[in-house]
Amino acid sequence: MSNTHHPFHPIIYVRGFAATQGEIEETVADPYMGFNIGSTKARMAWTGEMRRFYFESPLVRLMGDHKYEDVFVDGDDLMFADRADQKVPYRSIIIYRYYDDASKDFGDGETPPIEQFARGLDKLILRLRDKVCANKDNKVAPEDFKVHLVAHSMGGLVCRAFLQNKLLGSEAARKTVDKVFTYATPHNGIDMRIVRNVPGWLSFGDVNNFNRSRMAKYMDLPQSDDVSVVTNFPPERIFNLVGTNPRDYLVAGGASAWAVGDASDGLVRIENATTHGVGTDGKEVESPRAFVNRSHSGHYGIVNSEEGYQNLTRFLFGELRADGILDVDELSLPVEVQKELDSGKSVKASYQFEVVASVRGCQWQITRREARENSAIFRTFDQLFTGDKRSERVPNRAMSPHLFSVFLDPNKSVKKSGSVSFAFDIKVLVPDYEVDGVLFLKRHYEGGFVYRELVLVEAFPDKGTNAGWRIKYGFQDINPGKPGTEAKLYPLKDADGSTIGYGFSIEIDQKTRPGLRGTLRVEMRPWS
């Protein structure tokens, strides 16, 4: 029996960290543990007026847009109540209430270790599988049952501990997990300005859950400064949503945001919020991720945001994945800087790559990486090129900037053709040049760029092609809003030589100084 519900599997929401007893009691008093919290903010309308914008919450939107249901009926939780008159639907949203045991109302007031939370997730998944499959209306056999895990902050670490540490869960439960979506999870721990990593001895409220040494133990990883490595699960099926706004994180009167620093969401540094590992093709891959100017929590929080919801639903339910990569072959210097280099002086340069991606029909940007938000992609010249002499250096493809991962859903197409389309604005900022250790500011204008282009991409369903899609692209400054050039596709190969998708290239060859020469690659894969 196949699973005809795919990709609309049950969703288990795993909430984030609660430190104090008061926070724990407040958490368990909420049936949905924060997944139901929305936001109301002012936004400028097309008329120029300031109007209220309401984001109802991920929970309400999933119910309204995708017909999901909760499992609370007449004051009972159907996951744990034996009621013959009520059955658990397949499109259900389950709240993992792992803090109940730490509550004085429902437990003993003692917070269990994170390992126990992971084991509890294992039991919850198996219980959900049995409940769903017992409902004959669902027409799903236990071997075909799947589940999505959606987690905020420490909840993502609970999910990873369950998936990666074989002592904390069963293979039967792990194999049911289809995809994992994490909001603002400190995958590589929490760092602060004064103390690099949360100390292992800091046990108040189990804050040491974010110490890398402690994390390595419950993740079943070697002791390392990098515990963001995903094992025992495909890293490409974990999505990392990264917040870049520390200013609106007001916990402890803003002290937390100050302690963590600017390049963060107020609690988790941008560099610590993503995962990677060995993919299904046997190669090292980064998990797909998006960057949004949202804080860790609160009224401007990452969970209760339209940007978060759009990334969540497209990752869970979309059918096509698009990735952008920029291969840099040459970055020429300004004439004045080149003269200094030719005269024997030492020249250094660093580059920032900005990218903003948006999906047609959606008012919100799917991902945004900008220097002013401390989230631009940073590369030094020495990282982009290898070799001793500048004139003899060769491109280092391992450091090619990965610009974006965008998931597209034909069911949300605004055109009868069923085509899906997105746009990305890429900018390579003018770098800060250093000549013999001194900043070179001649002809420098802050905000200037070496290269900038707004590229439009549209994919049309076409069963007559090997790719299953026809792809067109274009440039906003040439033909606004209309991708008109038919892309010449090349196959993307797996480790065994099988075709896993298709890509196309846009050649860049600027004759200016400074200027960029390279290739902009867009890779597209079926997503399931």
Side-chain angles (χ1 to χ4, degrees):
M1 183 187 300
S2 61
N3 191 326
T4 57
H5 300 275
H6 182 84
F8 299 99
H9 304 305
I11 292 172
I12 294 180
Y13 175 66
V14 188
R15 68 149 287 135
F17 179 62
T20 67
Q21 193 64 40
E23 290 173 348
I24 291 173
E25 300 302 341
E26 184 178 354
T27 293
V28 301
D30 181 349
Y32 303 105
M33 292 193 163
F35 203 47
N36 55 313
I37 297 177
S39 64
T40 305
K41 291 297 169 187
R43 190 169 188 236
M44 184 179 287
W46 68 273
T47 59
E49 299 175 273
M50 296 303 295
R51 294 183 180 176
R52 294 181 186 181
F53 178 84
Y54 298 93
F55 175 69
E56 307 94 311
S57 78
L59 179 87
V60 174
R61 288 291 293 277
L62 283 165
M63 290 177 171
D65 295 346
H66 298 287
K67 311 307 177 188
Y68 272 81
E69 302 178 48
D70 66 14
V71 291
F72 301 134
V73 176
D74 296 332
D76 288 333
D77 182 345
L78 297 184
M79 286 296 298
F80 298 95
D82 294 323
R83 293 183 50 163
D85 61 323
Q86 296 290 344
K87 300 175 182 178
V88 176
Y90 195 82
R91 291 196 195 189
S92 58
I93 298 173
I94 316 300
I95 308 300
Y96 178 28
R97 300 181 57 87
Y98 64 83
Y99 268 124
D100 281 2
D101 290 342
S103 165
K104 291 182 179 179
D105 288 337
F106 305 120
D108 56 12
E110 297 293 328
T111 303
I114 197 169
E115 289 89 343
Q116 186 167 323
F117 296 156
R119 293 189 184 97
L121 180 57
D122 176 89
K123 294 177 182 177
L124 180 63
I125 290 173
L126 294 179
R127 178 182 285 270
L128 176 61
R129 179 198 64 184
D130 294 344
K131 288 274 187 178
V132 165
C133 294
N135 182 355
K136 294 183 180 180
D137 293 339
N138 292 328
K139 299 179 181 179
V140 175
E143 60 270 21
D144 296 319
F145 172 82
K146 292 293 180 183
V147 66
H148 296 311
L149 301 181
V150 176
H152 175 228
S153 193
M154 191 185 78
L157 302 183
V158 173
C159 294
R160 283 185 57 205
F162 153 70
L163 290 169
Q164 295 185 212
N165 191 332
K166 294 184 179 180
L167 297 178
L168 302 181
S170 64
E171 190 61 31
R174 278 192 291 269
K175 75 176 185 179
T176 69
V177 179
D178 186 35
K179 297 169 188 168
V180 181
F181 186 97
T182 66
Y183 295 96
T185 290
H187 288 293
N188 199 38
I190 290 180
D191 290 327
M192 296 173 284
R193 293 177 192 259
I194 301 173
V195 182
R196 171 150 162 62
N197 185 217
V198 169
W201 48 262
L202 189 59
S203 59
F204 167 74
D206 286 338
V207 171
N208 60 357
N209 283 336
F210 310 112
N211 170 264
R212 278 188 274 276
S213 179
R214 169 95 172 93
M215 291 173 68
K217 292 178 181 177
Y218 63 72
M219 295 286 186
D220 193 24
L221 291 171
Q223 290 293 321
S224 168
D225 284 337
D226 181 10
V227 290
S228 61
V229 181
V230 175
T231 60
N232 207 34
F233 191 80
E236 58 267 44
R237 297 190 78 79
I238 297 179
F239 191 100
N240 309 138
L241 191 65
V242 183
T244 65
N245 175 13
R247 298 176 302 281
D248 293 315
Y249 188 61
L250 303 179
V251 170
S256 169
W258 176 87
V260 174
D262 291 331
S264 72
D265 62 9
L267 183 63
V268 181
R269 290 188 179 180
I270 292 172
E271 63 184 0
N272 288 337
T274 58
T275 54
H276 65 98
V278 178
T280 52
D281 61 356
K283 299 178 182 178
E284 178 71 21
V285 297
E286 295 182 338
S287 298
R289 69 280 308 262
F291 299 77
V292 296
N293 194 227
R294 287 281 177 159
S295 63
H296 191 77
S297 61
H299 292 297
Y300 290 95
I302 195 168
V303 178
N304 55 328
S305 68
E306 186 73 31
E307 302 98 314
Y309 178 75
Q310 294 297 333
N311 276 289
L312 170 70
T313 53
R314 284 174 164 80
F315 174 72
L316 295 184
F317 312 137
E319 295 182 15
L320 193 63
R321 172 178 172 172
D323 290 86
I325 305 98
L326 177 62
D327 291 329
V328 180
D329 294 327
E330 183 182 0
L331 280 163
S332 62
L333 297 172
V335 174
E336 294 91 341
V337 179
Q338 185 65 48
K339 288 180 179 179
E340 298 286 357
L341 179 66
D342 293 340
S343 69
K345 292 183 179 180
S346 171
V347 173
K348 293 183 178 180
S350 60
Y351 296 82
Q352 295 194 81
F353 300 82
E354 293 189 340
V355 63
V356 176
S358 56
V359 174
R360 183 182 62 195
C362 176
Q363 299 181 57
W364 301 85
Q365 294 165 338
I366 291 294
T367 186
R368 187 168 84 199
R369 306 192 68 172
E370 295 187 339
R372 65 179 178 176
E373 295 169 1
N374 301 301
S375 59
I377 303 168
F378 179 84
R379 295 285 190 274
T380 64
F381 186 89
D382 290 342
Q383 289 175 320
L384 292 169
F385 301 93
T386 59
D388 295 329
K389 295 182 179 180
R390 188 178 183 103
S391 60
E392 297 175 359
R393 290 193 171 186
V394 296
N396 180 12
R397 291 291 182 250
M399 295 300 290
S400 290
H402 185 282
L403 304 174
F404 59 81
S405 294
V406 172
F407 294 84
L408 303 165
D409 187 355
N411 294 311
K412 294 184 178 182
S413 175
V414 296
K415 290 193 174 183
K416 292 183 179 180
S417 65
S419 70
V420 287
S421 182
F422 68 98
F424 62 96
D425 187 0
I426 176 176
K427 185 193 298 184
V428 183
L429 299 187
V430 169
D432 292 328
Y433 299 103
E434 187 180 277
V435 178
D436 277 352
V438 179
L439 282 177
F440 192 89
L441 297 178
K442 295 179 181 179
R443 287 180 55 191
H444 178 83
Y445 300 92
E446 189 61 30
F449 52 87
V450 175
Y451 173 82
R452 184 175 188 179
E453 193 69 76
L454 178 59
V455 182
L456 313 172
V457 181
E458 186 168 10
F460 302 82
D462 188 347
K463 296 181 180 179
T465 66
N466 290 329
W469 299 84
R470 285 190 308 109
I471 299 173
K472 291 184 177 182
Y473 69 94
F475 305 99
Q476 180 72 10
D477 60 342
I478 296 176
N479 195 2
K482 292 185 179 180
T485 302
E486 194 82 24
K488 184 178 181 180
L489 302 180
Y490 57 83
L492 305 174
K493 298 293 185 178
D494 204 342
D496 62 3
S498 58
T499 299
I500 57 173
Y502 289 82
F504 68 92
S505 300
I506 299 173
E507 300 300 322
I508 304 169
D509 190 6
Q510 291 182 294
K511 306 300 183 182
T512 57
R513 297 187 68 90
L516 169 69
R517 184 170 61 83
T519 304
L520 189 57
R521 292 186 285 124
V522 178
E523 299 181 349
M524 307 188 77
R525 298 170 174 83
W527 182 244
S528 170

